Amino acid sequence: MRERPPDVTTAGASVLLVSHSQDDFGIGRVAEALRRRGARPVRLDVDRFPRHITLSTALGPGGARRRLEDAGAALGGDEISAVWLRRLWAPNLGEGIPEAYRGACVRESMAALTGWLSGLPARRWINEPAAEERAQDKLRQLAAAASVGLRVPETLVTNDPAEVRGFFARLGGRVVAKMLTPFSTSLSGGAPFVFTHAVSEADLDALSGLRQSPMVFQERVPKARELRVACVDGRCFPGALDATRYESIAVDWRHPDVSDAGIGWEPDALPRHIEAQLGALLRALGLVFGAVDLIRTPDGEHVFLEVNPAGEWGMLERDLGLPIADALAEALLAPTENR
């Protein structure tokens, strides 16, 4: 059962946790960490809006008033001191809406939801919506990473097959392809997902689809270990996978064949200069939290791949005992002047 805000008329300032109804592990850990620190977590499952959650924004001579009601309990926007924007999903409209109107209803619901959130007077955000939206730009990420001293792979984003063939030839065929954005945001987990994959000579003769969808082509960097680093307000929590054990199976560690092979997360540590560069990167992107993917080469060099402002970290806390939820709670409750 979801925790709903009890006794909202007498409760003090609250921390809003924004996600969806199937997201439990991370939300539960952060909520418990907040409670241990005397804060009051309030969960907002956005996939239950607008059918089961009521949001109101009223503007008038007295200023702005925002109200959230869920399962009979109400909360005023001015009670919210901090927001963890963990996940933002499309509204749930249910059945019975003519298809001619469904798109407009989704847009109106999303506009009402994001407008309600962005107008909250919360003093602390993880992450601020505008910063998170800007940071989703993969090319912006790579440029920012290079600017703080991180090594980044040679990268090409194009819909021109000739450019891809030239890139492939120049790098001696060591090229991978991936998407600029997630292919699917389905809650069910059954929707298609496009993994990073190695480009072969045969692929060069099948690039006509680029005219419908440009792709990212990147230098394939040799791997010893692949790292996922949860970065929270200047602190780094790394976990690693032994790439030598799975690269013959798949290029992308998210591929199900990797987990089926029993390859799990292992403890790791970053050099201090890499930690400092990751901290500088997140500050440059305006992020408090980011899940960073790095490659450690056989020579021990670290190569930046990308940062996901809402990336997964639960497996690092579950499997390695890293106190990421505690770090998020501390960042949400930190005095504004310390941020």
Side-chain angles (χ1 to χ4, degrees), residues 273-328:
H273 75 280
I274 297 295
E275 288 191 346
Q277 289 169 337
L278 293 181
L281 170 63
L282 263 65
R283 289 192 296 274
L285 294 173
L287 301 176
V288 179
F289 169 83
V292 177
D293 288 330
L294 300 172
I295 287 172
R296 183 178 295 136
T297 70
D299 295 332
E301 186 177 18
H302 291 84
V303 182
F304 171 85
L305 297 180
E306 64 179 279
V307 54
N308 186 336
E312 296 296 337
W313 51 267
M315 66 285 194
L316 303 181
E317 178 150 333
R318 181 194 63 217
D319 297 350
L320 305 178
L322 298 178
I324 301 167
D326 281 308
L328 285 164

Side-chain angles (χ1 to χ4, degrees), residues 137-195:
D137 183 338
K138 296 295 191 294
L139 293 177
R140 181 188 183 99
Q141 291 181 14
L142 289 166
S147 74
V148 301
L150 289 162
R151 180 188 160 188
V152 300
E154 289 196 48
T155 302
L156 171 68
V157 179
T158 188
N159 66 337
D160 184 347
E163 284 273 1
V164 178
R165 295 185 186 105
F167 189 71
F168 185 90
R170 187 167 59 77
L171 293 179
R174 294 198 60 82
V175 174
V176 297
K178 58 186 181 181
M179 306 290 288
L180 269 174
T181 61
F183 191 79
S184 170
T185 57
S186 169
L187 289 176
S188 67
F193 190 91
V194 178
F195 298 99

Side-chain angles (χ1 to χ4, degrees), residues 8-320:
V8 295
T9 59
T10 59
S14 303
V15 178
L16 188 65
L17 311 179
V18 182
S19 190
H20 60 78
S21 56
Q22 295 184 29
D23 183 20
D24 284 317
F25 181 85
I27 289 284
R29 290 295 184 99
V30 172
E32 180 56 34
L34 288 167
R35 280 191 289 267
R36 288 198 304 269
R37 290 163 174 79
R40 175 175 170 241
V42 177
R43 179 167 179 165
L44 171 58
D45 291 328
V46 295
D47 60 311
R48 301 178 63 248
F49 175 76
R51 296 183 66 208
H52 305 294
I53 293 174
T54 301
L55 296 178
S56 299
T57 303
L59 304 173
R65 176 178 57 82
R66 289 173 173 79
R67 184 173 181 273
L68 160 67
E69 184 172 341
D70 187 4
L75 180 72
D78 58 354
E79 296 179 59
I80 297 169
S81 64
V83 180
W84 180 28
L85 195 60
R86 157 73 177 154
R87 283 280 190 269
L88 194 59
W89 295 89
N92 180 1
L93 303 181
E95 304 298 327
I97 299 176
E99 286 304 312
Y101 300 105
R102 179 172 288 274
C105 290
V106 168
R107 290 192 299 273
E108 289 295 296
S109 296
M110 183 59 79
L113 173 62
T114 56
W116 189 89
L117 287 168
S118 63
L120 290 173
R123 295 185 301 275
R124 292 170 293 279
W125 284 80
I126 301 179
N127 293 294
E128 290 190 2
E132 183 154 317
E133 183 176 357
R134 290 192 300 270
Q136 296 285 358
D137 183 338
K138 296 295 191 294
L139 293 177
R140 181 188 183 99
Q141 291 181 14
L142 289 166
S147 74
V148 301
L150 289 162
R151 180 188 160 188
V152 300
E154 289 196 48
T155 302
L156 171 68
V157 179
T158 188
N159 66 337
D160 184 347
E163 284 273 1
V164 178
R165 295 185 186 105
F167 189 71
F168 185 90
R170 187 167 59 77
L171 293 179
R174 294 198 60 82
V175 174
V176 297
K178 58 186 181 181
M179 306 290 288
L180 269 174
T181 61
F183 191 79
S184 170
T185 57
S186 169
L187 289 176
S188 67
F193 190 91
V194 178
F195 298 99
T196 300
H197 68 276
V199 178
S200 68
E201 289 276 3
D203 293 328
L204 301 181
D205 296 324
L207 296 173
S208 60
L210 292 178
R211 295 299 187 186
Q212 285 73 46
S213 177
M215 289 191 73
V216 183
F217 298 88
Q218 213 163 47
E219 169 193 5
R220 185 174 180 180
V221 178
K223 302 176 184 178
R225 288 167 80 79
E226 194 156 1
L227 284 72
R228 165 59 61 96
V229 186
C231 299
V232 187
D233 212 15
R235 301 169 65 186
C236 294
F237 301 93
L241 295 170
D242 184 349
T244 63
R245 296 181 58 202
Y246 73 78
E247 213 178 1
S248 62
I249 304 172
V251 174
D252 193 330
W253 61 262
R254 298 167 298 175
H255 198 285
D257 289 346
V258 172
S259 57
D260 290 346
I263 299 168
W265 292 96
E266 302 173 0
D268 206 277
L270 293 172
R272 288 194 175 185
H273 75 280
I274 297 295
E275 288 191 346
Q277 289 169 337
L278 293 181
L281 170 63
L282 263 65
R283 289 192 296 274
L285 294 173
L287 301 176
V288 179
F289 169 83
V292 177
D293 288 330
L294 300 172
I295 287 172
R296 183 178 295 136
T297 70
D299 295 332
E301 186 177 18
H302 291 84
V303 182
F304 171 85
L305 297 180
E306 64 179 279
V307 54
N308 186 336
E312 296 296 337
W313 51 267
M315 66 285 194
L316 303 181
E317 178 150 333
R318 181 194 63 217
D319 297 350
L320 305 178

